[in-house]
Amino acid sequence: MASKKTKTFTLGEMKDKYIGEVGTAARDEYEYELRMDVLGRMIKAARLERNLTQEELGLLVGVQKAQISKLESSANSATIDTILKVFKALKAEINFNVKLEDNFVKLI
């Protein structure tokens, strides 16, 4: 009896097929939202590590608890300024990398 081979796909191939290829608007939006979701999770993890409630963090940053909740669930509506304030209030270091083609831009 012959065995059937199962075709396997990489995550990249699945994204290309179901979301869109790299460089398309749909794929760019997906990747952006994914990064914002990860950023929100990092904010929540740092807040919990500091044993702060959302309300306490909001007071440190100067925003309402609801704003912290929104940041943690999806940071895509936040400004860079707000994100920097949040991490400063958490006494957490944050680094940004800017990559142009194959080169990283260093801030001096």
Side-chain angles (χ1 to χ4, degrees):
M1 180 171 179
S3 64
K4 291 183 178 181
K5 286 200 170 194
T6 303
K7 172 85 171 126
T8 58
F9 298 93
T10 66
L11 178 58
E13 290 170 331
M14 295 299 289
K15 286 180 184 180
D16 287 349
K17 182 175 180 177
Y18 293 104
I19 299 168
E21 293 185 5
V22 173
T24 62
R27 181 68 170 266
D28 289 347
E29 182 178 342
Y30 166 81
E31 297 293 345
Y32 173 79
E33 288 179 12
L34 181 61
R35 285 189 296 273
M36 293 301 100
D37 182 58
V38 170
L39 182 59
R41 289 175 187 223
M42 286 191 280
I43 290 169
K44 183 175 183 177
R47 176 181 61 78
L48 294 173
E49 182 71 25
R50 298 286 188 228
N51 295 312
L52 294 171
T53 65
Q54 289 178 338
E55 187 171 359
E56 291 168 331
L57 179 56
L59 288 171
L60 291 171
V61 176
V63 299
Q64 298 291 318
K65 174 187 180 270
Q67 178 77 17
I68 300 300
S69 178
K70 287 179 186 177
L71 284 172
E72 290 181 357
S73 64
S74 177
N76 64 355
S77 63
T79 64
I80 295 284
D81 186 51
T82 301
I83 292 169
L84 292 174
K85 285 179 184 177
V86 167
F87 281 108
K88 183 177 181 181
L90 290 167
K91 297 180 181 156
E93 183 178 321
I94 184 169
N95 297 298
F96 290 98
N97 292 315
V98 177
K99 186 174 179 183
L100 298 174
E101 297 173 6
D102 291 331
N103 300 310
F104 283 97
V105 176
K106 294 183 181 182
L107 300 176
I108 311 174

